[in-house]
């Protein structure tokens, strides 16, 4: 992906909508993009690699990082802490790199509210499901959550979907190829 000033591209949307699928492909096909590896207190899923998908930390470490201001944003989601480490975001943006953040909606809102104070150009992208039924089916098919966690993720999704309106770009992930093409455009596009 050519030209361009550095910026953050925040990819958000409900659990199961396909954020990871889209972002992993984007990073694979565009290795010049930087990916912000988040910290989380949640347990590692099979196939997830420490330091690649997440930095898996215990609750004490997460709280200590939050207390000393080591996160650009952080939020509680479904009983676990998730946070974007401040380092090395500013350095990447200063180098002109586009930095992908895959985060939930509360964290995206924090960044939106702090955008001018942080002095970082940002673009906010919301991934929508074709329908609530298909969202439920995808979470179930992924098979990473037990029944209770799956249902609570769906409940959270109801509230998250109400937030789509304030994002700069909305992409419906019905056909994966179409959604991916739109994401590439959103990351590549000009402006801030
Ligand atoms: P998220 O990161 O938003 O929680 P995932 O990327 O893990 O979501 O996707 C959830 C499930 O939906 C996965 O099993 C994935 O393969 C599937 N999926 C993603 N995009 C599509 C799509 N366009 N059509 C059908 N299934 C999809
Ligand atoms: P999961 O447990 O499915 O990996 O992630 C749950 C939710 O947390 C997803 O919406 C994911 O995008 C989000 N998330 C991942 N990293 C961060 C982060 O650093 N900050 C915030 N606020 N959310 C995150």
């Amino acid at each position: 992906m050519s030209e361009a000033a550095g910026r953050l591209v925040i990819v958000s949307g409900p659990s199961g909508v396909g954020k990871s699928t889209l972002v992993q492909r984007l990073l694979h096909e565009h290795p010049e993009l930087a990916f912000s590896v988040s910290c989380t207190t949640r347990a590692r899923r099979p196939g997830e690699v420490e330091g690649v998908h997440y930095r898996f930390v215990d609750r004490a470490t997460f709280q200590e990082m939050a207390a000393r201001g080591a996160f650009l944003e952080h939020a509680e989601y479904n009983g676990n802490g998730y946070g974007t480490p401040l380092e090395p975001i500013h350095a990447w943006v200063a180098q002109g790199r586009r930095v992908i953040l895959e985060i939930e909606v509360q964290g995206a809102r924090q960044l939106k509210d702090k955008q001018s104070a942080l002095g970082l150009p940002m673009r906010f992208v919301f991934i929508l499901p074709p329908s609530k039924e298909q969202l439920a089916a995808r979470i179930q098919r992924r098979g990473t959550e037990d029944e209770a966690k799956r249902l609570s993720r769906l409940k959270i999704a109801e509230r998250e979907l109400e937030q789509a309106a304030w994002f700069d770009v909305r992409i419906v992930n019905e056909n994966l190829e179409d959604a991916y093409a739109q994401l590439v455009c959103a990351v590549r596009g000009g402006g801030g």
Side-chain angles (χ1 to χ4, degrees):
M1 217 164 274
S2 60
E3 60 35 70
R7 79 157 71 103
L8 305 188
V9 179
I10 293 101
V11 180
S12 197
S15 178
V17 78
K19 300 184 296 297
S20 298
T21 305
L22 289 163
V23 165
Q24 290 306 315
R25 176 164 169 197
L26 184 69
L27 298 173
H28 183 72
E29 294 187 9
H30 296 280
E32 75 282 8
L33 297 172
F35 177 64
S36 164
V37 179
S38 297
C39 292
T40 183
T41 65
R42 103 153 146 66
R44 199 165 62 82
R45 290 178 188 149
E48 285 183 331
V49 179
E50 162 66 29
V52 175
H53 299 98
Y54 279 110
R55 285 163 56 190
F56 297 95
V57 298
D58 60 22
R59 187 49 88 167
T61 304
F62 189 87
Q63 278 166 348
E64 183 273 322
M65 289 180 76
R68 74 177 148 86
F71 291 131
L72 191 66
E73 62 70 39
H74 63 94
E76 285 294 312
Y77 174 90
N78 210 19
N80 284 297
Y82 294 82
T84 302
L86 204 50
E87 286 296 325
I89 300 266
H90 281 276
W92 276 336
V93 173
Q95 288 161 14
R97 295 190 71 183
R98 288 174 185 194
V99 183
I100 310 298
L101 273 64
E102 187 204 313
I103 66 176
E104 53 71 73
V105 175
Q106 303 169 78
R109 185 70 228 183
Q110 285 175 39
L111 292 180
K112 174 92 175 159
D113 293 341
K114 289 198 289 192
Q115 182 170 7
S116 51
L118 286 168
L120 290 167
M122 298 182 193
R123 171 164 292 186
F124 292 90
V125 179
F126 195 97
I127 312 292
L128 288 150
S131 66
K132 289 177 185 171
E133 291 71 27
Q134 290 198 45
L135 182 67
R138 283 183 196 172
I139 301 185
Q140 183 149 29
R141 218 174 311 123
R142 188 174 64 190
T144 49
E145 269 77 33
D146 65 25
E147 176 81 1
K149 289 266 183 198
R150 202 164 50 72
L151 293 177
S152 54
R153 279 177 180 245
L154 279 174
K155 216 167 178 170
I156 295 168
E158 297 270 343
R159 292 202 305 273
E160 291 179 322
L161 288 167
E162 290 166 9
Q163 298 281 315
W166 64 260
F167 281 71
D168 300 316
V169 180
R170 280 163 293 284
I171 297 172
V172 178
N173 179 21
E174 179 154 28
N175 175 285
L176 190 62
E177 293 303 316
D178 291 349
Y180 179 69
Q182 289 175 60
L183 180 61
V184 170
C185 281
V187 173
R188 185 180 276 155

